[in-house]
PDB file of all heavy atoms in Angstrom:
ATOM      1  N   PHE H 164      95.944 107.309 113.495  1.00 94.00           N
ATOM      2  CA  PHE H 164      97.258 107.677 112.972  1.00 94.00           C
ATOM      3  C   PHE H 164      98.119 108.296 114.070  1.00 94.00           C
ATOM      4  O   PHE H 164      99.331 108.065 114.124  1.00 94.00           O
ATOM      5  CB  PHE H 164      97.112 108.641 111.794  1.00 94.00           C
ATOM      6  CG  PHE H 164      96.605 107.988 110.543  1.00 94.00           C
ATOM      7  CD1 PHE H 164      95.258 107.992 110.237  1.00 94.00           C
ATOM      8  CD2 PHE H 164      97.471 107.347 109.679  1.00 94.00           C
ATOM      9  CE1 PHE H 164      94.785 107.388 109.086  1.00 94.00           C
ATOM     10  CE2 PHE H 164      97.016 106.729 108.525  1.00 94.00           C
ATOM     11  CZ  PHE H 164      95.660 106.752 108.228  1.00 94.00           C
ATOM     12  N   LEU H 165      97.491 109.083 114.940  1.00 95.00           N
ATOM     13  CA  LEU H 165      98.231 109.659 116.066  1.00 95.00           C
ATOM     14  C   LEU H 165      98.687 108.565 117.020  1.00 95.00           C
ATOM     15  O   LEU H 165      99.801 108.605 117.552  1.00 95.00           O
ATOM     16  CB  LEU H 165      97.363 110.667 116.812  1.00 95.00           C
ATOM     17  CG  LEU H 165      96.867 111.865 116.000  1.00 95.00           C
ATOM     18  CD1 LEU H 165      95.924 112.713 116.849  1.00 95.00           C
ATOM     19  CD2 LEU H 165      98.028 112.699 115.498  1.00 95.00           C
ATOM     20  N   LEU H 166      97.819 107.566 117.242  1.00 96.00           N
ATOM     21  CA  LEU H 166      98.193 106.439 118.095  1.00 96.00           C
ATOM     22  C   LEU H 166      99.362 105.676 117.482  1.00 96.00           C
ATOM     23  O   LEU H 166     100.303 105.299 118.188  1.00 96.00           O
ATOM     24  CB  LEU H 166      96.989 105.521 118.294  1.00 96.00           C
ATOM     25  CG  LEU H 166      97.219 104.286 119.169  1.00 96.00           C
ATOM     26  CD1 LEU H 166      97.578 104.683 120.595  1.00 96.00           C
ATOM     27  CD2 LEU H 166      95.983 103.387 119.158  1.00 96.00           C
ATOM     28  N   ALA H 167      99.311 105.452 116.179  1.00 97.00           N
ATOM     29  CA  ALA H 167     100.405 104.740 115.502  1.00 97.00           C
ATOM     30  C   ALA H 167     101.727 105.462 115.698  1.00 97.00           C
ATOM     31  O   ALA H 167     102.757 104.837 115.974  1.00 97.00           O
ATOM     32  CB  ALA H 167     100.089 104.599 114.013  1.00 97.00           C
ATOM     33  N   GLU H 168     101.704 106.785 115.584  1.00 96.00           N
ATOM     34  CA  GLU H 168     102.933 107.557 115.779  1.00 96.00           C
ATOM     35  C   GLU H 168     103.466 107.396 117.192  1.00 96.00           C
ATOM     36  O   GLU H 168     104.667 107.248 117.405  1.00 96.00           O
ATOM     37  CB  GLU H 168     102.660 109.035 115.494  1.00 96.00           C
ATOM     38  CG  GLU H 168     102.405 109.352 114.037  1.00 96.00           C
ATOM     39  CD  GLU H 168     102.267 110.836 113.790  1.00 96.00           C
ATOM     40  OE1 GLU H 168     101.784 111.564 114.696  1.00 96.00           O
ATOM     41  OE2 GLU H 168     102.642 111.278 112.694  1.00 96.00           O
ATOM     42  N   ARG H 169     102.558 107.417 118.154  1.00 96.00           N
ATOM     43  CA  ARG H 169     102.981 107.340 119.555  1.00 96.00           C
ATOM     44  C   ARG H 169     103.549 105.959 119.871  1.00 96.00           C
ATOM     45  O   ARG H 169     104.567 105.834 120.549  1.00 96.00           O
ATOM     46  CB  ARG H 169     101.784 107.646 120.459  1.00 96.00           C
ATOM     47  CG  ARG H 169     102.148 107.775 121.910  1.00 96.00           C
ATOM     48  CD  ARG H 169     100.972 108.254 122.740  1.00 96.00           C
ATOM     49  NE  ARG H 169     100.762 109.684 122.620  1.00 96.00           N
ATOM     50  CZ  ARG H 169      99.845 110.353 123.316  1.00 96.00           C
ATOM     51  NH1 ARG H 169      99.051 109.714 124.171  1.00 96.00           N
ATOM     52  NH2 ARG H 169      99.717 111.651 123.168  1.00 96.00           N
ATOM     53  N   VAL H 170     102.894 104.913 119.376  1.00 97.00           N
ATOM     54  CA  VAL H 170     103.341 103.551 119.679  1.00 97.00           C
ATOM     55  C   VAL H 170     104.691 103.255 119.026  1.00 97.00           C
ATOM     56  O   VAL H 170     105.586 102.688 119.648  1.00 97.00           O
ATOM     57  CB  VAL H 170     102.293 102.517 119.218  1.00 97.00           C
ATOM     58  CG1 VAL H 170     102.828 101.085 119.365  1.00 97.00           C
ATOM     59  CG2 VAL H 170     100.994 102.678 120.009  1.00 97.00           C
ATOM     60  N   MET H 171     104.844 103.664 117.772  1.00 97.00           N
ATOM     61  CA  MET H 171     106.021 103.256 117.003  1.00 97.00           C
ATOM     62  C   MET H 171     107.107 104.327 116.945  1.00 97.00           C
ATOM     63  O   MET H 171     108.202 104.076 116.427  1.00 97.00           O
ATOM     64  CB  MET H 171     105.603 102.864 115.584  1.00 97.00           C
ATOM     65  CG  MET H 171     104.637 101.693 115.547  1.00 97.00           C
ATOM     66  SD  MET H 171     105.278 100.162 116.275  1.00 97.00           S
ATOM     67  CE  MET H 171     106.444  99.638 115.021  1.00 97.00           C
ATOM     68  N   GLY H 172     106.839 105.528 117.477  1.00 96.00           N
ATOM     69  CA  GLY H 172     107.871 106.553 117.526  1.00 96.00           C
ATOM     70  C   GLY H 172     108.268 107.097 116.166  1.00 96.00           C
ATOM     71  O   GLY H 172     109.442 107.409 115.942  1.00 96.00           O
ATOM     72  N   VAL H 173     107.310 107.193 115.246  1.00 96.00           N
ATOM     73  CA  VAL H 173     107.580 107.745 113.918  1.00 96.00           C
ATOM     74  C   VAL H 173     106.616 108.896 113.653  1.00 96.00           C
ATOM     75  O   VAL H 173     105.620 109.064 114.361  1.00 96.00           O
ATOM     76  CB  VAL H 173     107.422 106.678 112.812  1.00 96.00           C
ATOM     77  CG1 VAL H 173     108.361 105.513 113.042  1.00 96.00           C
ATOM     78  CG2 VAL H 173     105.980 106.184 112.730  1.00 96.00           C
ATOM     79  N   THR H 174     106.925 109.682 112.633  1.00 95.00           N
ATOM     80  CA  THR H 174     106.005 110.705 112.158  1.00 95.00           C
ATOM     81  C   THR H 174     105.478 110.281 110.802  1.00 95.00           C
ATOM     82  O   THR H 174     106.261 110.038 109.866  1.00 95.00           O
ATOM     83  CB  THR H 174     106.712 112.070 112.038  1.00 95.00           C
ATOM     84  OG1 THR H 174     107.188 112.461 113.330  1.00 95.00           O
ATOM     85  CG2 THR H 174     105.762 113.132 111.512  1.00 95.00           C
ATOM     86  N   ILE H 175     104.166 110.151 110.707  1.00 94.00           N
ATOM     87  CA  ILE H 175     103.535 109.728 109.452  1.00 94.00           C
ATOM     88  C   ILE H 175     103.385 110.947 108.550  1.00 94.00           C
ATOM     89  O   ILE H 175     102.820 111.971 108.953  1.00 94.00           O
ATOM     90  CB  ILE H 175     102.170 109.084 109.728  1.00 94.00           C
ATOM     91  CG1 ILE H 175     102.362 107.804 110.562  1.00 94.00           C
ATOM     92  CG2 ILE H 175     101.436 108.769 108.427  1.00 94.00           C
ATOM     93  CD1 ILE H 175     101.077 107.225 111.113  1.00 94.00           C
ATOM     94  N   GLU H 176     103.897 110.851 107.350  1.00 93.00           N
ATOM     95  CA  GLU H 176     103.902 111.970 106.417  1.00 93.00           C
ATOM     96  C   GLU H 176     102.849 111.790 105.326  1.00 93.00           C
ATOM     97  O   GLU H 176     102.634 110.685 104.828  1.00 93.00           O
ATOM     98  CB  GLU H 176     105.289 112.087 105.748  1.00 93.00           C
ATOM     99  CG  GLU H 176     106.446 112.269 106.713  1.00 93.00           C
ATOM    100  CD  GLU H 176     106.457 113.648 107.363  1.00 93.00           C
ATOM    101  OE1 GLU H 176     105.679 114.525 106.925  1.00 93.00           O
ATOM    102  OE2 GLU H 176     107.258 113.840 108.304  1.00 93.00           O
ATOM    103  N   ARG H 177     102.238 112.897 104.950  1.00 90.00           N
ATOM    104  CA  ARG H 177     101.269 112.852 103.848  1.00 90.00           C
ATOM    105  C   ARG H 177     101.922 112.348 102.569  1.00 90.00           C
ATOM    106  O   ARG H 177     101.290 111.688 101.748  1.00 90.00           O
ATOM    107  CB  ARG H 177     100.664 114.233 103.629  1.00 90.00           C
ATOM    108  CG  ARG H 177      99.599 114.242 102.541  1.00 90.00           C
ATOM    109  CD  ARG H 177      98.881 115.559 102.446  1.00 90.00           C
ATOM    110  NE  ARG H 177      97.804 115.509 101.470  1.00 90.00           N
ATOM    111  CZ  ARG H 177      96.918 116.466 101.276  1.00 90.00           C
ATOM    112  NH1 ARG H 177      96.976 117.569 102.002  1.00 90.00           N
ATOM    113  NH2 ARG H 177      95.965 116.336 100.366  1.00 90.00           N
TER     114      ARG H 177
END
Side-chain angles (χ1 to χ4, degrees):
F164 287 94
L165 300 175
L166 180 63
E168 290 185 329
R169 188 173 281 184
V170 173
M171 299 300 286
V173 301
T174 299
I175 297 169
E176 302 289 350
R177 183 173 184 172

